[in-house]
Amino acid sequence: MDSWIKEGIFFLLVVLCKAAVLPPPWADVQSNPCAAHPRGWLMLYWPSDGKCYTIYKKGHPCPDTQELSPGRRGAMTVAECKCPPGTAQLPHSTTCHKLFERGPCRTGEYFAPVEESFKKRGERQGICVRPKQCADETLVYWPPDDHCYYRMTQGPCFLGSILQVGKDGLANCTCTKDSSNYWAPDDSCYAHYSRGPCETGQLFLPGSKCGCASHLPHYHNDTEGCYELDSAGPCPKGHTFSITEVSSKGSRAECKCKSFHARASDGACYRMYTRGPCAQDEMIMRDGRCTKVPCARGRLYSPKRRRCYRPGATEPCPIGEVLSFDFEARPAVDGLSHNGVCACGPGSMCLRKKVITCLSKPGAAIYGNTCHILHTQGPCSEGAWLVRDNTGSVKCQCRPDTYCTELSS
């Protein structure tokens, strides 16, 4: 019995030791004398004056914008001054500037990280660069994630702010009380024709109000509500609420299957080449029918060739590309995808990047360097909407049976 108890105690000690939090390297008194002080693991030794200073604190003994950080010199922990996370310095300078903002750069440039310097010990360096060009003038480049977004939308911004171009020529997230997108009750800004702060079935409209009108492309007859375009809206599973009709009388949105989805017999849409509503070891095809998965485990299906290949194979793809998993499929939502897609191979120079433009969106048009949906008020006056005339030009026009005093804002 005593032996059993001893073994149990030993096992418990092993578990507790494994679960214990290991001290940081600078808690070693031999390399950091400050570690011997009360709460010394929060301090670093500065050899120049022999004093201890709080770790990750900006200012003395470092320059004003840098912070004291632990570094390594061989097996030793040393104190060094570094720019805080999210900032960097120009070479031969000790001043830290925020990344992806103008900082020390000229108008129209932003301060970008020099990636190699972030992987090494010591300085985090930055460089001034010009933003990349987007596909059209309605899009603005957002450096932090290297993507383009439509201006006057939420884009990559936090909820309650709008993406716009500042006086420095760079994209920024903003919200001001004099903005046409401002909503006073919660001191936030929302994109027009998004749900914003409104109830289900209503949209945030020009004039900073919630509402819904039957002349809007966003109107859904069955529910008598308005919904954001290209969203799930009032639609069943696998559908998106998108514009399907554009005419001189107006535009209309309907529920339709999402891209690369097929409608099954139950009325829902499922991502092609996933299980969908099918039985075990089956997948849904382009026509919505279920068929047995033709591939063995570890193989991907090529719809164009109607054959199975191993991941990384070059045969079904153009030169420089290899067969890869369909990363646009979301296993938690769509289920396991058997679809194989061609992607850039290791070390290849191919570039497969979707280019989105305003004109590629159904029922959209460029007006005032901003992407608008036709047959909405947009920047027009009350009672008017945006239309495309016989010459292809986009202009404000009074809605049928509506009186408006001005045709532009």
Side-chain angles (χ1 to χ4, degrees), residues 131-151:
K132 292 182 180 179
Q133 290 294 314
C134 296
D136 65 36
E137 67 269 30
T138 69
L139 296 161
V140 290
Y141 178 68
W142 185 251
D145 64 5
D146 193 32
H147 280 74
C148 292
Y149 296 91
Y150 289 106
R151 64 174 70 198

Side-chain angles (χ1 to χ4, degrees), residues 7-64:
E7 289 180 2
I9 293 174
F10 176 77
F11 176 77
L12 181 61
L13 288 173
V14 170
V15 172
L16 290 174
C17 287
K18 288 185 176 181
V21 178
L22 295 176
W26 56 89
D28 183 4
V29 178
Q30 292 184 351
S31 60
N32 179 27
C34 301
H37 298 182
R39 297 179 63 83
W41 63 277
L42 293 175
M43 309 183 81
L44 288 175
Y45 178 73
W46 190 252
S48 299
D49 59 9
K51 294 182 179 180
C52 298
Y53 294 92
T54 303
I55 194 171
Y56 299 128
K57 183 178 180 181
K58 287 198 293 186
H60 186 77
C62 297
D64 291 342

Side-chain angles (χ1 to χ4, degrees), residues 193 247-248 250-251 363 365-368 370-381 384-389 393-399 407-408:
Y193 304 104
S247 69
S248 58
S251 302
I366 299 174
Y367 189 83
T370 303
C371 190
H372 295 280
I373 300 298
L374 292 173
H375 304 112
T376 64
Q377 181 179 333
C380 307
S381 61
W385 62 6
L386 285 169
V387 297
R388 194 188 303 276
D389 63 20
S393 299
V394 179
K395 64 179 184 180
C396 294
Q397 185 180 82
C398 287
R399 294 200 316 269
L407 293 182
S408 62

Side-chain angles (χ1 to χ4, degrees), residues 328-366:
E328 291 189 6
R330 301 164 297 171
V333 178
D334 305 313
L336 179 66
S337 175
H338 301 280
N339 181 46
V341 297
C342 292
C344 290
S348 64
M349 298 298 293
C350 65
L351 181 64
R352 299 178 64 87
K353 192 172 183 179
K354 292 182 179 178
V355 178
I356 56 171
T357 65
C358 180
L359 298 181
S360 67
K361 297 175 63 176
I366 299 174

